[in-house]
Amino acid sequence: MNDYNAPADLLRDKVILITGAGDGIGAQAAKTYAAHGAICILLGRTVSKLEAVYDDIVAAGGQEPAIVPLDIKGATPSHYQQMTQTIIDQFGRLDGVLHNASILGHLSAFKDIDAQEWQDVMQINLNGMVFMTQALIPALEKAESASVIFTTSSVGRKGRAFWGTYAVSKFATEGVMQTLADEYRNKSLRFNCINPGGTRTQMRAQAFPAENPDTLKTPEDIMPTYLYLMGEDSKETTGQSLDCQPK
């Protein structure tokens, strides 16, 4: 789907929440969705980064976004329930969610995985995503048709040595997506995963410090798949895990 050519008004007036919207793929997705007409809700932990994305969207002529400063590591289900009520009060519904926020943790032998780091990665990559999705479903059900996109990885499909913590969190993400897609199969709510592939981001540099970033696709390069899954052209697509950079 990375050759998908999105119409300019694909997301006109759609209300879309993006997690990890302060930089990397999340920031680019927010700007891209806004450029196609969406009202973006920018969620992240660093207000200054969210404000920079907000400024870029407004400067480009996009609709004014909302900012939700939230650290998923410390957030509880009640935080997500309060956030959902605010979204319903302000916008009346939620048309889409891009679960983009993730952390890598350290690459290490499985026997050496630090217990606290395991907890932190699972809290951000899995638990927070699950509790947020649970809370958001009533807002998503108020939309005529809503899309939820989870972020996966090739190591979330086939385990890889030394990637234990991150890989397990992504295997679980695929399971969450498949379970929800099956539960909502005949409803107006669809759930899919995106695997961005090797992309020029801080997380990629952390995982592969010796790699030349100029050999990688930029976040902007992979946006067609993100647009496809968020827009109405994917209305019949659910329970799928799409690659932005198929091998």
Side-chain angles (χ1 to χ4, degrees):
M1 281 305 158
N2 221 41
D3 57 358
Y4 174 68
N5 191 10
D9 63 349
L10 178 76
L11 303 174
R12 183 182 298 283
D13 297 332
K14 291 203 176 282
V15 181
I16 300 171
L17 173 70
I18 301 104
T19 75
D23 51 29
I25 291 171
Q28 185 60 56
K31 294 175 199 176
T32 302
Y33 289 159
H36 286 78
I39 303 164
C40 292
I41 302 172
L42 311 174
L43 186 150
R45 63 183 178 182
T46 308
V47 174
S48 59
K49 289 183 177 182
L50 298 176
E51 287 175 341
V53 176
Y54 174 104
D55 290 344
D56 286 346
I57 288 172
V58 172
Q63 298 205 60
E64 184 180 1
I67 287 180
V68 179
L70 187 72
D71 187 350
I72 294 172
K73 184 175 168 182
T76 64
S78 67
H79 287 119
Y80 299 125
Q81 287 154 11
Q82 291 164 21
M83 178 180 79
T84 300
Q85 192 55 54
T86 302
I87 290 169
I88 292 171
D89 291 345
Q90 189 167 348
F91 300 106
R93 70 188 190 286
L94 188 61
D95 298 292
V97 181
L98 171 59
H99 283 294
N100 165 75
S102 290
I103 61 170
L104 180 64
H106 290 92
L107 305 186
S108 72
F110 198 87
K111 67 181 178 60
D112 297 327
I113 292 171
D114 177 76
Q116 187 57 54
E117 184 168 88
W118 175 275
Q119 299 280 17
D120 290 346
V121 171
M122 293 304 159
Q123 179 64 20
I124 292 168
N125 295 10
L126 179 61
N127 299 341
M129 180 191 74
V130 166
F131 298 143
M132 190 186 305
T133 303
Q134 284 181 315
L136 289 171
I137 282 174
L140 290 159
E141 287 179 325
K142 290 180 182 296
E144 193 177 319
S145 167
S147 173
V148 179
I149 302 171
F150 298 100
T151 301
T152 187
S153 166
S154 58
V155 300
R157 298 170 183 162
K158 185 177 188 303
R160 189 182 302 166
F162 309 112
W163 284 71
T165 310
Y166 186 74
V168 170
S169 78
K170 294 304 178 181
F171 268 96
T173 297
E174 295 259 357
V176 168
M177 178 275 288
Q178 291 176 25
T179 301
L180 283 165
D182 206 42
E183 280 189 24
Y184 287 86
R185 189 155 297 279
N186 298 312
K187 302 207 169 83
S188 61
L189 191 43
R190 61 193 186 278
F191 299 87
N192 296 284
C193 277
I194 282 183
N195 170 23
T199 310
R200 208 179 301 168
T201 62
Q202 287 179 353
M203 184 185 286
R204 179 74 182 189
Q206 183 186 347
F208 298 96
E211 186 175 56
N212 177 2
D214 292 338
T215 63
L216 300 171
K217 299 267 192 193
T218 67
E220 190 172 5
D221 292 333
I222 63 172
M223 282 299 118
T225 308
Y226 285 78
L227 284 165
Y228 171 73
L229 279 183
M230 195 56 80
E232 292 300 295
D233 288 332
S234 64
K235 210 169 179 177
E236 305 304 318
T237 304
T238 192
Q240 302 301 306
S241 192
L242 302 186
D243 292 316
C244 291
Q245 304 180 56
K247 293 285 190 287

